[in-house]
Structures are given as structure tokens and as C-alpha cells.
Amino acid sequence: MSATKPTLDERLAALRTVTESGAARMPTSIADEAQSLLQQADARRSRSPEHIVVGVFGATGSGKSSLVNALVGDEVAKAHVRRPTTSQALAVTWDSAGAAELLDWLQIRERVERTEPIDPRAGKLVLVDLPDVDSIEAGNRAIAERLAGQVDALLWVVDPQKYADDVLHAQFIAPHARHAAVTLVVLNQVDLLATADRASVVASLQAIVSRDGLPRARVLPVSARTLDGVDALRAAIGDLAASKAVRDARLTADVQTLAERIDDPGAAARLDARAAARLRDEIGTAAGVEVVAAAVASSYRKRAGQVTGWPLVSWIGRLRADPLTRLGLGPRRRGADPDVHRTSMPLLSAGAQARLSLAVRTFADTAASDLTGPWKAAVRTAADGALDRLPADLDLAIARTPLPAKGSWWWALVGIVQWFALLTGVVGALWLVGASLLPTFGMPALLIPQVESGPLEGWAVPTLLIIAAVLVGVLLGLISAALSALTAGARRRRTRRRLLASIDEVVQRDVVAPVAVELDRARAVSAALAVARR
């Protein structure tokens, strides 16, 4: 990460990322506050950005209005606001062109224009006298609280009697601790203190302000009545007005403060390919991959036996239903749509459903193990959303997978030899029968030749034909069965690979992708928070 501090634009963009990606995973109040801050930042930056708004805040009796009059050099507050308690915000503007829209946005109706600036560098200043922060009137206090979150710079006014007041410090100054760069603290009415006591009271106030979290905030002793320290205060306000970064500093502090209150999602791990593969295998098992693979192998062996087995017994295999046809996965009509022609596989059993759910949730929990509670729950919810879709999607994936169900080329050759052998045996049998029965009908007997030499000397040729036919048929049947078993095993493995590839597409789409989206969102929010907080 770069050591350069992010710009305000970068911080606001980061906060926008946090609100857009993480709103549902943070308290509603904070999400609303973040959205409000973004709207406020856009509104403030688009309204008279050259003006600097300094709000004057303080408790009852601190002399805020008198201090404003002293700074302006005129009784502006007394002339325009009911005394002694300020009930409306009063804005004093210099070079007011363009400030009207800004003041409308701030909802400040009482306005006074002046031409002579309080400091040469404060030509575009808006000085706002505000109601008491501890006012017993809820409406007055609400105005002060609202504008404390909107003005560009804050000027806190305290008096020697109540400079340590807990309401002012705990409820107002301390919550704005990050705004030290745009904060001035004024100890007013120092004329009521003995000269020897002023330094110790200022030091005490400085210590309290430091405990509030603003150790670098300037504390200025002033007397609105004697004008002691007023010029120094004018110069300090001039410093703020001259700084082009004041408005941005205020908004930057607001973004930082809010970002600190938002919980980081935690470390979002990259998805492990091995975990995804285990998930695929578990879901494949639950979906019946092994059942289909076994059916492919069994179907191949059945059809091979029907074609290559001994014809006198191979027909028996036709009486058994084809395993693939029983699952609705037999040969389809050309152009058949798997979206319409689903499988006939049984519904997932309770055990298979439990296995599928456990696999999905284990995958999600492992992926979200280093995330915080709300983000971990979001990952689990994303994964759980797939559980209702998976059974139908898995069935469709199996239906769409091309299975290696075709016969082998050698079946026809073996089948021809089997039938030739059978015909040979039939010829031999008919020869012997004819030789026995023809004389009974007065017909000449058929000659039965015999082997005249060799190991088979004396054997009748028709008998040898029958024996050869039976031996060839049985032997071919056994060899074909062995070859069929080997080929069926290979097809079972190929089927499993194809089905797992199809199921992997479903798993990636229905489970892995939603989980990855949540993890990416968590990473984006975590990175954005880091930018917003710096």
C-alpha cells in the first residue's frame, strides 16, 4: 500500500464502496449514516467550495454571540437575534456572492453581510453564531448538533466557570476528536481571571482538550469585552480560511471517524481449488455419479453379451431391462432436449440430501473461516441459496452429459463368427440325423466320413463339426465377456470423469461463484476501509 495519504475523492470513493458492498452486513444505523455522509459531502462540495464556514459553538453563558460581535467589530448578533439565549443560527458572510445556496443547504435563515474582512486572508468567510449546545430547548440543541456535523471548521467557546463542563466535552468536543486540524478552542471572558491565573487555566483547558482526543487543537485566551486576544483569534481564523484544505480536512475527518466505527470484514481467503474439487466429488456422489457410471458399465456388458455371446443362450440377456434405459439415460431421439427429457433417477434420499448440504456448508464455512460474524453469515447464506436449486440442476447436468454408450466395433465380427459356428454345428447335427432317419423312409443313407489319420482318427466329421461349433461358441463367449469387462471398466471411469466435469459446472455456478462473490465483496470492503481510515 502506498505511503501517500489518500485524497478526499479516494476516501469518498472508498466509503461508497463500503456502503454499496457492505450495507447489508453492517448495522442499519451506520449504513444510513454513511449514506448521509456521502450525500452531505456531495452537497457541500458542489455549493460555493471557495467559502469556509466556521461554526461558533458553546454552552449557555460562554459568550458566543459577544465573541462573534467582537470578531466582526459590530453588534451583529444583538441586532438580529433575540437575546440573551440564541435560538436561531446567525451567519455573517463576507464576499457573499455564491454563499446563498450554501446557507440554504445549511438551513440558516438569519444572515448578515459585511464587507470588511476580520483578517486579510478571510475574504470568503462565513461565521455562524449557534444556539447553546446545552440548551434546555430541544430544538435549539438540535440545530447546534446538526450544524456541528456540517460546518467546515469548529470554534468551541468556553468560559472560566464552565470550561471543564462534561456536557460540552463528552458530548460535543470529544466526538469530534478527529477534526483537530479544523478546530479552535477559545477560553472567553479571561478578563474575569486574575492575570496570574490565566496561564494555569489555559494549561488546564489544554490538558482537558488533549484528553478529549485533540492534543494539537489550538487553545486561545480571549476576552470579548476587553478585546484582549481577539486579534490573535482573528489571525487563527484567517489561517483556517487561507487553507484550501480546510473543507476537505473536515470531510476527511468525518470519513475517517465513520470508517473506524465500521467493523472490518476480516481476512477473505482465496478459494482453494482442492476444496472446490472435494465439494464437486461429494456432490457428485450425492447426485448419483457412481450409480450412472455403474449403469453405463452394466449396460455395455449386457449389450455385448447379447451380440457376442453364444447365440443359444445370449437371447436370455434381452429379457433384462437395460440399466441406462431404466435411469432414463438410454439412447435419445436425435435432437431430444434434456430440458424436457429429464432422467428417471430416483429423488435424492434423506442421506444424500444430508451429504449434499453438509458438503456445501462445510465448503462455505471453510472459505469464510477468517471473516467476522455478519460476513461469515453472508457467505453461508449465499451457499445455502444453492441447496434448493442443486437437485434439479444436477439432474439436468447428468441428462445433458454425453455418455459412452455405443457398442464396440469388434462386436459385429464376434457375432458373425458365433453365428457361423452355430450354423456349422447345425449342419453337423442335421448330417447325423439325416444319416439315421433316411433309411427308415427307404432312402439311401448319407455317407458319414471319418477322419482317417491323426489324433482324431476314427471321429465322424459331423460329430467334429458339432463339437467345434460348441467349443468355438463357448470360447468366444468367454473371451468376449473378458474384453467386455475391461472395456466396461474403462467406460465407467470415462463416464465418471464426464459426469464430474458436468457437475463441476453446476457446482461452480451454483455454489462456488456466489461464495466467491461474497469473498470478493469482503476483500473490496476491507481494502476500502483501509483507504477511508488512513
Side-chain angles (χ1 to χ4, degrees):
M1 184 179 294
S2 172
T4 304
K5 289 288 186 181
T7 65
L8 178 59
D9 285 333
E10 291 171 336
R11 294 181 191 276
L12 291 173
L15 183 59
R16 188 166 285 107
T17 296
V18 172
T19 58
E20 290 174 353
S21 299
R25 295 148 190 84
M26 65 178 74
T28 303
S29 58
I30 293 183
D32 292 343
E33 193 173 338
Q35 192 61 44
S36 176
L37 176 55
L38 289 170
Q39 294 172 352
Q40 176 180 318
D42 291 341
R44 175 62 187 96
R45 300 177 85 195
S46 65
R47 289 170 171 81
S48 191
E50 67 275 9
H51 278 90
I52 297 298
V53 182
V54 178
V56 182
F57 301 85
T60 303
S62 61
K64 301 184 310 302
S65 297
S66 297
L67 182 62
V68 169
N69 290 336
L71 288 169
V72 176
D74 196 0
E75 300 258 339
V76 289
K78 184 176 182 180
H80 291 273
V81 182
R82 180 171 60 87
R83 309 307 300 161
T85 302
T86 303
S87 60
Q88 293 292 332
L90 167 69
V92 185
T93 61
W94 288 264
D95 194 1
S96 60
E101 185 181 4
L102 172 60
L103 294 175
D104 288 341
W105 174 68
L106 292 172
Q107 301 178 34
I108 298 176
R109 305 288 178 262
E110 300 287 338
R111 306 171 188 179
V112 176
E113 295 185 16
R114 284 294 180 268
T115 56
E116 187 67 28
I118 63 174
D119 185 271
R121 297 164 298 168
K124 291 281 188 178
L125 177 66
V126 178
L127 192 63
V128 182
D129 181 22
L130 289 149
D132 301 327
V133 296
D134 60 349
S135 175
I136 60 174
E137 295 290 337
N140 293 353
R141 180 166 179 156
I143 292 173
E145 290 175 347
R146 175 176 60 81
L147 286 171
Q150 291 181 294
V151 297
D152 301 321
L154 304 104
L155 195 159
W156 301 103
V157 181
V158 298
D159 62 85
Q161 289 75 33
K162 296 191 295 183
Y163 71 88
D165 181 68
D166 183 65
V167 172
L168 179 66
H169 287 277
Q171 299 183 25
F172 280 86
I173 296 181
H176 292 85
R178 277 191 174 271
H179 301 88
V182 292
T183 297
L184 295 174
V185 180
V186 173
L187 177 63
N188 193 18
Q189 303 175 15
V190 293
D191 54 295
L192 300 179
L193 295 171
T195 303
D197 294 333
R198 290 184 183 181
S200 61
V201 174
V202 169
S204 175
L205 176 57
Q206 184 72 67
I208 294 172
V209 171
S210 296
R211 288 198 298 271
D212 290 339
L214 294 91
R216 291 181 295 175
R218 297 179 63 182
V219 175
L220 299 159
V222 173
S223 171
R225 187 176 68 83
T226 65
L227 303 184
D228 186 16
V230 170
D231 286 341
L233 178 57
R234 287 171 175 163
I237 294 174
D239 291 340
L240 291 176
S243 173
K244 295 181 180 179
V246 167
R247 186 204 62 214
D248 286 358
R250 168 59 199 260
L251 290 174
T252 293
D254 287 339
V255 172
Q256 289 177 313
T257 301
L258 182 58
E260 289 290 352
R261 294 168 53 200
I262 299 174
D263 292 335
D264 192 285
R270 296 289 176 183
L271 287 177
D272 185 359
R274 291 173 297 180
R278 287 194 297 269
L279 174 65
R280 177 205 62 198
D281 292 343
E282 287 291 327
I283 291 179
T285 300
V289 166
E290 297 300 335
V291 173
V292 176
V296 168
S298 180
S299 174
Y300 181 87
R301 288 194 301 270
K302 175 183 180 300
R303 290 179 291 117
Q306 292 171 187
V307 176
T308 66
W310 194 29
L312 292 180
V313 296
S314 63
W315 61 273
I316 299 175
R318 298 180 186 276
L319 300 178
R320 293 185 295 109
D322 187 283
L324 281 179
T325 302
R326 199 162 52 236
L327 295 177
L329 295 171
R332 302 190 187 97
R333 298 188 305 273
R334 184 178 297 275
D337 184 0
D339 285 331
V340 177
H341 302 278
R342 296 296 186 96
T343 73
S344 300
M345 295 181 65
L347 297 176
L348 296 183
S349 66
Q353 289 179 340
R355 183 169 190 165
L356 187 148
S357 298
L358 179 62
V360 169
R361 287 169 177 164
T362 299
F363 174 78
D365 291 345
T366 301
S369 59
D370 293 328
L371 297 181
T372 56
W375 289 90
K376 187 176 295 185
V379 172
R380 168 68 80 90
T381 300
D384 283 350
L387 293 177
D388 292 335
R389 302 190 302 271
L390 275 174
D393 288 352
L394 292 171
D395 187 79
L396 180 59
I398 291 174
R400 285 176 169 171
T401 302
L403 302 178
K406 292 182 179 180
S408 296
W409 60 269
W410 55 268
W411 286 5
L413 295 178
V414 174
I416 291 172
V417 174
Q418 284 281 33
W419 280 105
F420 180 79
L422 178 62
L423 290 175
T424 300
V426 170
V427 168
L430 291 175
W431 195 342
L432 290 177
V433 170
S436 300
L437 295 179
L438 285 178
T440 63
F441 294 101
M443 300 177 68
L446 294 175
L447 294 176
I448 299 177
Q450 294 181 346
V451 177
E452 297 179 354
S453 62
L456 300 177
E457 182 180 354
W459 282 77
V461 170
T463 302
L464 291 176
L465 290 177
I466 294 171
I467 294 173
V470 172
L471 291 176
V472 168
V474 172
L475 183 60
L476 278 179
L478 292 175
I479 294 174
S480 297
L483 288 176
S484 296
L486 291 174
T487 306
R491 292 202 173 187
R492 178 172 185 160
R493 293 188 292 273
R494 193 190 316 167
T495 298
R496 186 177 186 276
R497 288 194 299 270
R498 289 185 181 181
L499 289 174
L500 286 178
S502 296
I503 285 174
D504 189 59
E505 293 179 5
V506 174
V507 171
Q508 291 292 330
R509 182 186 69 239
D510 289 359
V511 182
V512 176
V515 168
V517 167
E518 288 300 326
L519 294 177
D520 288 343
R521 185 179 283 120
R523 276 189 288 271
V525 169
S526 185
L529 280 175
V531 171
R533 291 170 176 173
R534 279 171 51 204

